[in-house]
Amino acid sequence: MFDKDLEYQWHLDLYKKLCGTDLGDATPGGGRNRRVVVRRWPRAPNGAVIRELPPGYTTPSSTHLWGERLLDFFSFSRGTDDRLNHVVSTSSRLSAWMKANGETEYAKDEMIWANTEEPPRLRPAADIMEIINAKDLLIMMGSYAQFLVDNDYFSQPKPAAYPFDYKNYPDPWPLVPFSSNPPTLQSQIPFHLLPETLIVHDPFRLLHARTPRDKDVDWTSVDDVTHKYKLDLTVDSIKENIALERSKIEEITKNATPVTVGISFYRSDERDLGDSNPTSVPGNAYKITVPPPPPPPISVPEAHLFLSPAHTVGSGNHSRVYHAEWDLPRSVFSKPKICNTCLEEAARKIISDMAGSTMDNNSPGSNNFFNGNLDFREAQQIHEDHTHTLEDEKTTSYIEYSGSMDAIHITTVPWYDPASSSPPPCSHFAQSSVCGSLPESPPPTAQVSVVAKLSLRGDNHMKREAANYQRFGMQFSQHWTGYTLATPLQDPTPMGAITPVFYGYYSKEDSSDSDQYFSPILLLEDCGTPIEPDKLDFDDRQECAALVLRLHFHRWTQGSFWPRNILMQLGDHADFPLMKSANDRRFRLIDFGRAKCLMDAQEADYSRSDNLYQKYWDDERFNEKSAIGRVLEFHYPT
């Protein structure tokens, strides 16, 4: 992501580099907004009327219009008469129509530009394990957190191999809750890895969902009080998907086979392979395989949650909200890694040994083989036609060659789990890590910051909200590359997430046996603070409007569209904490206790044989769209 004042100019410069055409300073509006549609797709003089465009690139949370770059959005005329209304679409859709209808010659520059567009990609959050390790290093150095003098503070009977044995944690752990400012968790956790049991540490009796009397509290001055909660997933399809996912992992683990981790090319030329056009490569290719990685966890039996009145987020008519510390096994955050540098060295040795044993060094071509370049790339996709897609975080390279491809199996380079207490198997991991190697082993669990929402007694608002988050799945909380256009807005907006990440809904075990009320707990990603519309620029307001319009596109209404339910976070989720910029604003919708799905209305009408509930849903959607201009305080096209 880029500063708004530079973002559009970056796309203009990229267009000039790729197409050789200078579009100039095309930004209209006197600086009012920067994300605008400035390009127009030319039409053939006698071209056919465009009645419907073929599908183009989309994501699970975008509208039908998605573009990788701002300059992938075009206005165009459906017919050759300029008096016909101009509409907006994307380069992927327009180029597909032009190819199918023979108009490619009339838009050569635009077709070249469209061919350089990359498909949408997920934008994962910054590696939370790296952030945790950097925090652990500061804690080990004694420059962060307050340490518990009494290791028996959390004492309770522990079974064998229990990860939350706080009494036996390595020094300087365990820490006083809320003394270490743990990192905010922004990564998604698959539903099958949501903790099945939640031990809630609540010495200040916040679970009764009453307003706390005193927010200036000292955790060590009170005795710890714990309650056992259980994961309460209410949507049957989610439960079925969890069972299927666990069965799939068990089947893959049982029938594990060697994993392809890379491709090595020996070639005699020096050409750069880092562009998006197919490159013909002379030489030899080798598929690099290794033994399968350690199996991932299929479940998380337990996690711990800490609540404090000193970390209140807010309260409303239905709930109390707190910043909470969530202690989870490190295996939840970690994925096994293998060192590509060590793999490349091992592959080079094996290939050289193979060549030395089968090729006479005095024979023609032997020098070309040994003097050529060895390209080792991580392979995401291998096609049977010997076209190999090599993908990294920023570019995709297409390499075409003919000939056989031998497999090289490497067993000398081990997998490494960053969550383990063992040191890395080589120095390369420490060199590529944010904090290097830790001097000591950290504890088996790690704390992160999340938001815990509690419900007032007798209110089912939060239970409905939790069910809606489950029905959203993971798609609404995913971040994607590129931009989308959510009509009736006329400008593209970034493809950030619509909602916070859902981390589970928990109910107290055996709560019916007690006369006291214990609130259920809804755990969510901390997405910042409510917006103040008068402090947002035009692009920001359009981005906030697009959130609810994208929700409508996917047949949901939000039900409570107010500034208090639109959160702003400073810094991109993919940036490490020290790299986050206060000028980089991100937005998210919250509070879905009143959200409604069109499918539910249609099913209700089917049983009634009328369209009453669908009309109610349409009315609510219309009211939300009409409220956008008033809520966000800007001129909104209708």
Side-chain angles (χ1 to χ4, degrees):
M1 289 298 178
F2 306 92
D3 183 280
K4 290 191 182 71
D5 292 334
L6 301 176
E7 182 180 12
Y8 211 91
Q9 189 59 46
W10 181 89
H11 286 90
L12 296 175
D13 293 342
L14 178 63
Y15 181 82
K16 182 178 179 180
K17 177 182 177 181
L18 294 177
C19 296
T21 302
D22 189 355
L23 296 179
D25 183 8
T27 306
R32 185 186 70 152
N33 58 319
R34 292 290 184 268
R35 297 178 184 136
V36 291
V37 178
V38 297
R39 301 185 66 189
R40 182 179 169 194
W41 194 285
R43 297 295 315 281
N46 299 312
V49 174
I50 299 178
R51 302 189 184 279
E52 184 176 354
L53 289 170
Y57 289 135
T58 60
T59 78
S61 60
S62 70
T63 69
H64 62 298
L65 299 176
W66 178 92
E68 182 200 5
R69 303 149 297 193
L70 288 171
L71 297 182
D72 284 313
F73 292 85
F74 292 82
S75 65
F76 72 99
S77 177
R78 292 192 177 277
T80 55
D81 189 344
D82 280 344
R83 292 173 297 179
L84 292 177
N85 64 315
H86 284 251
V87 290
V88 174
S89 193
T90 60
S91 57
S92 61
R93 302 189 74 194
L94 286 164
S95 62
W97 191 93
M98 300 300 157
K99 290 176 183 177
N101 291 273
E103 282 198 31
T104 57
E105 290 300 312
Y106 294 92
K108 290 183 177 180
D109 285 349
E110 288 74 17
M111 294 297 294
I112 293 172
W113 176 259
N115 287 335
T116 67
E117 184 181 26
E118 296 284 357
R121 295 178 187 163
L122 272 174
R123 297 180 59 243
D127 188 340
I128 187 64
M129 200 71 245
E130 287 278 3
I131 299 173
I132 289 170
N133 285 341
K135 178 75 72 170
D136 287 345
L137 180 60
L138 294 174
I139 293 171
M140 290 178 182
M141 294 169 61
S143 59
Y144 229 86
Q146 180 182 356
F147 316 126
L148 275 174
V149 177
D150 180 9
N151 278 7
D152 291 330
Y153 182 83
F154 294 123
S155 64
Q156 52 182 325
K158 310 294 191 304
Y162 182 69
F164 296 94
D165 188 3
Y166 292 123
K167 184 177 180 180
N168 293 314
Y169 272 18
D171 288 335
W173 286 272
L175 309 176
V176 174
F178 298 96
S179 69
S180 65
N181 189 26
T184 299
L185 181 61
Q186 295 186 281
S187 305
Q188 292 184 321
I189 296 180
F191 282 108
H192 72 278
L193 291 183
L194 293 177
E196 296 170 355
T197 298
L198 194 65
I199 305 299
V200 184
H201 298 255
D202 181 35
F204 305 104
R205 277 71 174 174
L206 300 180
L207 289 173
H208 304 313
R210 294 191 291 262
T211 303
R213 296 178 180 177
D214 188 5
K215 295 185 179 181
D216 185 15
V217 296
D218 177 7
W219 191 283
T220 60
S221 66
V222 294
D223 292 332
D224 190 25
V225 177
T226 61
H227 302 277
K228 183 179 285 190
Y229 275 62
K230 65 179 186 298
L231 182 63
D232 188 4
L233 297 178
T234 57
V235 177
D236 290 338
S237 61
I238 295 298
K239 298 177 184 178
E240 294 169 2
N241 289 339
I242 289 174
L244 288 173
E245 186 64 25
R246 289 174 175 167
S247 297
K248 179 181 175 182
I249 293 173
E250 290 174 343
E251 185 68 21
I252 292 174
T253 302
K254 180 180 177 181
N255 302 309
T257 57
V259 178
T260 299
V261 292
I263 299 174
S264 285
F265 292 94
Y266 257 112
R267 56 192 179 88
S268 58
D269 59 3
E270 297 285 345
R271 280 174 294 168
D272 179 21
L273 303 184
D275 57 41
S276 58
N277 295 317
T279 303
S280 179
V281 178
N284 301 74
Y286 300 89
K287 180 171 66 175
I288 310 301
T289 64
V290 297
I298 63 172
S299 65
V300 176
E302 183 178 309
H304 286 231
L305 189 78
F306 298 82
L307 298 174
S308 169
H311 295 269
T312 301
V313 175
S315 61
N317 296 327
H318 307 277
S319 61
R320 303 283 184 264
V321 185
Y322 298 91
H323 288 122
E325 289 191 353
W326 200 19
D327 201 13
L328 293 143
R330 289 178 181 248
S331 58
V332 175
F333 309 122
S334 177
K335 291 183 179 180
K337 298 180 179 180
I338 197 164
C339 178
N340 284 338
T341 303
C342 291
L343 284 173
E344 182 177 349
E345 292 172 355
R348 184 184 295 274
K349 184 177 185 307
I350 292 174
I351 293 171
S352 297
D353 291 345
M354 290 168 54
S357 63
T358 59
M359 183 182 296
D360 179 0
N361 286 338
N362 295 321
S363 64
S366 62
N367 288 336
N368 287 338
F369 183 85
F370 285 107
N371 293 332
N373 292 322
L374 175 64
D375 282 304
F376 179 85
R377 305 286 185 91
E378 182 180 354
Q380 301 294 332
Q381 221 174 355
I382 300 180
H383 303 284
E384 294 299 326
D385 62 358
H386 290 170
T387 300
H388 295 252
T389 302
L390 306 180
E391 184 174 329
D392 59 26
E393 294 179 355
K394 296 181 179 179
T395 62
T396 300
S397 304
Y398 301 92
I399 300 175
E400 297 178 354
Y401 65 94
S402 59
S404 62
M405 183 172 65
D406 296 325
I408 296 176
H409 187 62
I410 298 175
T411 59
T412 56
V413 181
W415 288 93
Y416 169 61
D417 185 356
S420 71
S421 58
S422 303
C426 68
S427 61
H428 303 121
F429 283 114
Q431 294 168 5
S432 62
S433 174
V434 171
C435 63
S437 294
L438 296 177
E440 304 289 343
S441 295
T445 64
Q447 289 190 338
V448 291
S449 177
V450 295
V451 162
K453 189 172 184 179
L454 310 181
S455 176
L456 301 187
R457 189 168 195 165
D459 195 304
N460 290 321
H461 184 90
M462 196 173 79
K463 186 174 183 178
R464 293 193 299 269
E465 182 175 18
N468 287 335
Y469 272 110
Q470 294 169 60
R471 296 180 66 188
F472 293 162
M474 302 185 97
Q475 67 183 53
F476 287 169
S477 59
Q478 291 174 334
H479 302 261
W480 290 85
T481 56
Y483 302 82
T484 190
L485 197 152
T487 56
L489 296 179
Q490 298 171 355
D491 304 319
T493 54
M495 267 304 305
I498 299 174
T499 71
V501 179
F502 170 74
Y503 293 126
Y505 180 69
Y506 295 85
S507 301
K508 191 176 186 304
E509 286 191 354
D510 302 323
S511 59
S512 59
D513 297 339
S514 173
D515 293 333
Q516 285 188 313
Y517 170 70
F518 287 90
S519 168
I521 303 172
L522 174 62
L523 296 184
L524 299 168
E525 175 192 3
D526 181 3
C527 294
T529 57
I531 64 168
E532 298 179 61
D534 60 329
K535 295 183 179 179
L536 302 180
D537 64 26
F538 193 82
D539 283 325
D540 291 336
R541 298 179 200 205
Q542 290 208 110
E543 193 171 339
C544 294
L547 295 176
V548 72
L549 293 173
R550 286 162 59 192
L551 203 66
H552 293 171
F553 180 84
H554 291 279
R555 301 187 170 192
W556 282 88
T557 58
Q558 193 266 344
S560 183
F561 188 67
W562 296 98
R564 65 177 180 270
N565 291 328
I566 307 171
L567 299 185
M568 181 178 73
Q569 189 175 56
L570 301 181
D572 187 58
H573 75 294
D575 292 334
F576 284 85
L578 290 177
M579 303 300 292
K580 292 183 183 291
S581 169
N583 295 323
D584 196 3
R585 297 182 287 272
R586 297 290 182 269
F587 303 94
R588 223 79 68 87
L589 285 181
I590 60 168
D591 195 356
F592 296 97
R594 298 183 184 88
K596 293 183 177 61
C597 181
L598 175 60
M599 183 175 66
D600 294 340
Q602 291 172 333
E603 289 178 354
D605 285 341
Y606 180 79
S607 63
R608 291 170 48 93
S609 301
D610 61 19
N611 293 320
L612 179 64
Y613 286 102
Q614 185 169 341
K615 180 180 181 302
Y616 289 158
W617 188 91
D618 284 333
D619 288 344
E620 185 166 317
R621 180 183 59 171
F622 177 81
N623 291 335
E624 281 187 353
K625 290 177 67 173
S626 301
I628 288 175
R630 170 176 50 81
V631 169
L632 297 175
E633 301 177 12
F634 81 121
H635 178 68
Y636 165 71
T638 57

